[in-house]
């Protein structure tokens, strides 16, 4: 019996519980099988800059399993999988915008899916509409996403300090690369200054 034929991995059983996770390195300290996986055995989507998207199956409240190639039916389309995972994320995870003391903002969720907010264009569209400015975004860790109006360089600088601290303290680091969501083009790009 192939892995994807096992009752625990049948598509009908897992498809509503798959989420996209943003990573730079293919490792995760919280997932059941997150310590050792690679692009050779797990579906990985190049996202933006150094960021990659992996997929996880939510098994219980705080229990996740990295989705491996052997768990997917042979005809599975990875782009469709990505769109399905994003729909599941929107349906199941509540993202809240929090203020920082220095004028930037943070994405708050459940401690597992904050970084996945970068996949959801509508979050960034709402933020640029409210702030009437491009956004500078940093994703230092799986549970930390920070952003600030691009037109406020002092706030962006303080946000970078905050992000560095979050990065250094995290067990699930992502990176210090900056991204920009452009208000006029409604597009997430690698930040260039």
């Amino acid at each position: 019996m192939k892995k994807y034929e096992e009752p625990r991995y049948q598509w009908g059983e897992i498809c509503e519980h798959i989420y996209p996770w943003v990573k730079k390195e293919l490792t995760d300290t919280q997932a059941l099988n997150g310590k050792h996986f690679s692009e050779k055995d797990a579906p990985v989507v190049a996202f933006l800059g150094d960021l990659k998207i992996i997929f996880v199956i939510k098994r219980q409240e705080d229990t996740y399993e990295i989705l491996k190639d052997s768990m997917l039916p042979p005809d599975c389309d990875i782009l469709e999988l990505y769109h399905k995972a994003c729909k599941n994320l929107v349906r199941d995870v509540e993202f809240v915008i929090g203020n920082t003391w220095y004028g930037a903002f943070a994405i708050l969720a459940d401690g597992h899916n904050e970084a996945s907010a970068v996949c959801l264009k509508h979050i960034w569209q709402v933020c640029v509409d409210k702030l009437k400015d491009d956004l500078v975004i940093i994703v230092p860790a799986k549970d930390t996403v920070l952003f600030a109006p691009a037109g406020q360089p002092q706030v962006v600088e303080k946000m970078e300090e905050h992000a560095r601290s979050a990065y250094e303290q995290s067990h699930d680091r992502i990176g210090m690369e900056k991204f920009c969501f452009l208000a006029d083009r409604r597009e997430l790009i690698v930040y260039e200054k």
Side-chain angles (χ1 to χ4, degrees), residues 15 45 49 78 98 134 136 138 141 147 158:
C15 70
V45 176
I78 300 304
D134 294 341
V136 177
I138 303 177
F147 67 96
K158 288 179 182 169

Side-chain angles (χ1 to χ4, degrees), residues 2-21:
K2 304 274 188 199
K3 189 114 176 156
Y4 63 85
E5 294 173 329
E6 295 175 20
R8 180 172 171 80
Y9 297 108
Q10 287 183 355
W11 182 250
E13 293 296 317
I14 65 171
C15 70
E16 296 297 318
H17 307 285
I18 296 174
Y19 302 101
W21 274 4

Side-chain angles (χ1 to χ4, degrees), residues 17-93:
H17 307 285
I18 296 174
Y19 302 101
W21 274 4
V22 174
K23 294 287 180 182
K24 183 175 177 184
E25 304 295 327
L26 299 182
T27 184
D28 191 272
T29 63
Q30 296 174 332
L32 293 174
N33 56 347
K35 291 186 179 33
H36 304 289
F37 67 99
S38 72
E39 292 187 43
K40 292 179 182 176
D41 67 350
V44 177
V45 176
F47 186 64
L48 184 64
D50 291 339
L51 299 183
K52 300 173 177 119
I53 304 293
I54 65 163
F55 301 94
V56 295
I57 307 165
K58 184 174 184 177
R59 292 297 186 183
Q60 295 173 6
E61 187 61 33
D62 282 327
T63 306
Y64 293 85
E65 182 177 5
I66 304 295
L67 184 68
K68 303 281 183 92
D69 286 332
S70 62
M71 300 171 191
L72 291 171
D75 60 344
C76 184
D77 180 292
I78 300 304
L79 188 56
E80 287 178 23
L81 174 65
Y82 173 73
H83 290 296
K84 176 64 176 158
C86 288
K87 283 181 184 176
N88 293 345
L89 188 67
V90 168
R91 180 194 67 217
D92 297 339
V93 177

